[in-house]
Amino acid sequence: MKKILIVEDEKILAEMYRDVFTREGFDVHSAFTEKEALELAATGKPDLILLDILLPEANGISFLKEKNKRPAIASIPVIAFSNFDDIETKREAFQLGVQDYLIKTNYTPQQIVSRVNEYVQKIETEESRSKSET
């Protein structure tokens, strides 16, 4: 079972996404702030982080910068999902290593799950390939 950390400050949305991902077989953990997300990433070692860009106190860009400074969690893949559709923020998110930047209003929750599943399968394929090469 793949573990996902959903970083979403709107509790209703966080619960909805948790339910959708749980039904799809994910082990889901939720964080509502940058600080909580960094702690859960370090202790829970998720396979992927789904990150809202607009968070209270510090935003998703701040989270990415801090995550990348921490060797224990720096390699965890991140998909940004937000309604903040700003070209500079997207550019910076990609420079900081996000795999994708999804605008929430352009996708149903099920479509977001499908996109995440694509990345999880890609991760699993890369892990299998690197194991077979060793």
Side-chain angles (χ1 to χ4, degrees):
M1 179 180 297
K2 286 295 178 182
K3 189 184 299 184
I4 185 170
L5 172 60
I6 299 174
V7 185
E8 167 63 66
D9 64 313
E10 293 184 44
K11 291 190 183 342
I12 291 172
L13 286 177
E15 289 173 13
M16 179 201 54
Y17 283 110
R18 182 179 53 232
D19 291 346
V20 172
F21 277 97
T22 299
R23 282 194 306 270
E24 291 293 321
F26 283 85
D27 178 13
V28 181
H29 299 266
S30 299
F32 304 103
T33 65
E34 175 201 32
K35 181 180 177 189
E36 186 179 16
L38 290 166
E39 290 170 6
L40 284 172
T43 59
K45 299 287 193 266
D47 297 296
L48 187 133
I49 298 170
L50 190 59
L51 174 69
D52 188 5
I53 294 298
L54 298 177
L55 298 171
E57 299 164 23
N59 65 23
I61 297 298
S62 174
F63 169 85
L64 291 167
K65 288 176 181 175
E66 189 59 35
K67 173 193 153 293
N68 290 342
K69 290 178 191 173
R70 300 179 183 200
I73 62 172
S75 65
I76 298 171
V78 176
I79 294 176
F81 80 133
S82 183
N83 283 324
F84 190 61
D85 192 5
D86 173 71
I87 193 75
E88 285 302 312
T89 301
K90 284 182 183 178
R91 183 186 55 74
E92 189 170 10
F94 279 111
Q95 286 176 341
L96 292 168
V98 299
Q99 303 295 307
D100 206 345
Y101 192 111
L102 308 176
I103 303 301
K104 290 180 198 175
T105 54
N106 293 346
Y107 298 90
T108 67
Q110 192 58 48
Q111 288 171 322
I112 289 176
V113 170
S114 293
R115 293 293 287 265
V116 168
N117 268 322
E118 289 174 21
Y119 287 101
V120 167
Q121 289 172 359
K122 182 180 171 185
I123 292 165
E124 289 173 341
T125 301
E126 289 171 2
E127 287 174 354
S128 314
R129 192 173 319 144
S130 67
K131 285 180 183 175
S132 66
E133 291 173 358
T134 56

